[in-house]
Amino acid sequence: MKKLIWPGSTQLAPVPAVLVGTGGNNWKNNLITVAWVGIVCSNPAMLSISVRPERYSYKALTELREFSVNVPLASQAAIVDWCGVVSGRDHDKFAEQKLTALPGSRIQSPLVQECPLNLECQVKDIIKLGSHDMFIAQIVAVQVSEDFLTGSGRLDLEHDGGVLGYAHGHYFNLGKCIGHFGFSVRKKSGPIIRK
């Protein structure tokens, strides 16, 4: 396989495309679309998001030191895109996209009722990196839509078409599960692939 060498860039993909909720404590409820998001620690459960300081939500993130991460379905791509290209300075994103602001159990910032998975996060550190600042946050609670649980209580993000991913300026349906952690060394029947 012949390789080309490109300059260093953000080619790691796909990544989740999520809606980050801010607000509460006298702040207007708002949503910002973020693709620079990822788990950074399992114990305690922590993630990071990276946001440009000029974004409207940046000041709320730094002052409130909390936010929600709302994982959308692929069918919600138009909503996620719209929330990323218009500013909360000029728009009420919840009202205009007919989204329901769900109260958090441990944070004041709103969650998105229509997203199947919601993470409540408290900021532990902010690191200035360059074009973006990284917010490292502990996941203090998770809300899961019951419709996205299997009979055994497993989270089923393949349900309803799959979750939304982002790669190089495009949205993708992350779709079907093709295996589970450790399936490559499983002795008896190989990978568990659901149809």
Side-chain angles (χ1 to χ4, degrees):
M1 181 182 309
K2 187 174 180 182
K3 299 280 186 174
L4 298 175
I5 299 174
W6 292 354
S9 61
T10 57
Q11 295 303 312
L12 178 65
V15 292
V18 299
L19 292 170
V20 171
T22 62
N25 293 323
N26 299 318
W27 283 86
K28 170 185 169 183
N29 284 350
N30 190 43
L31 294 168
I32 181 175
T33 299
V34 174
W36 306 151
V37 57
I39 297 295
V40 295
C41 187
S42 57
N43 188 15
M46 298 182 83
L47 59 72
S48 71
I49 63 170
S50 291
V51 178
R52 290 180 181 269
E54 59 268 20
R55 296 292 295 262
Y56 175 70
S57 294
Y58 180 86
K59 190 171 182 185
L61 288 167
T62 57
E63 291 194 17
L64 292 171
R65 297 186 68 83
E66 66 172 33
F67 56 87
S68 66
V69 171
N70 305 277
V71 179
L73 299 169
S75 61
Q76 296 169 313
I79 293 169
V80 173
D81 184 65
W82 185 87
C83 287
V85 296
V86 304
S87 174
R89 287 181 187 92
D90 309 313
H91 295 273
D92 180 337
K93 296 181 186 182
F94 277 95
E96 291 180 53
Q97 290 299 308
K98 297 179 177 57
L99 296 172
T100 308
L102 178 69
S105 65
R106 302 270 312 271
I107 63 172
Q108 297 295 314
S109 294
L111 287 65
V112 179
Q113 172 74 42
E114 292 75 12
C115 289
L117 183 62
N118 317 92
L119 309 175
E120 300 181 37
C121 304
Q122 294 176 339
V123 174
K124 299 300 179 187
D125 199 6
I126 304 169
I127 302 171
K128 295 188 175 301
L129 297 174
S131 63
H132 290 69
D133 287 359
M134 179 187 292
F135 293 79
I136 298 173
Q138 184 171 350
I139 303 165
V140 295
V142 176
Q143 295 195 29
V144 180
S145 296
E146 289 181 354
D147 293 348
F148 289 83
L149 295 177
T150 65
S152 63
R154 184 185 63 80
L155 182 61
D156 180 12
L157 291 178
E158 294 173 69
H159 178 69
D160 206 23
V163 295
L164 185 64
Y166 180 83
H168 315 302
H170 297 87
Y171 298 101
F172 293 88
N173 181 340
L174 295 184
K176 198 174 254 205
C177 175
I178 60 169
H180 60 84
F181 180 74
F183 82 87
S184 64
V185 296
R186 188 176 180 157
K187 298 224 185 253
K188 295 188 179 180
S189 60
I192 296 174
I193 299 175
R194 293 179 299 283
K195 302 204 190 282

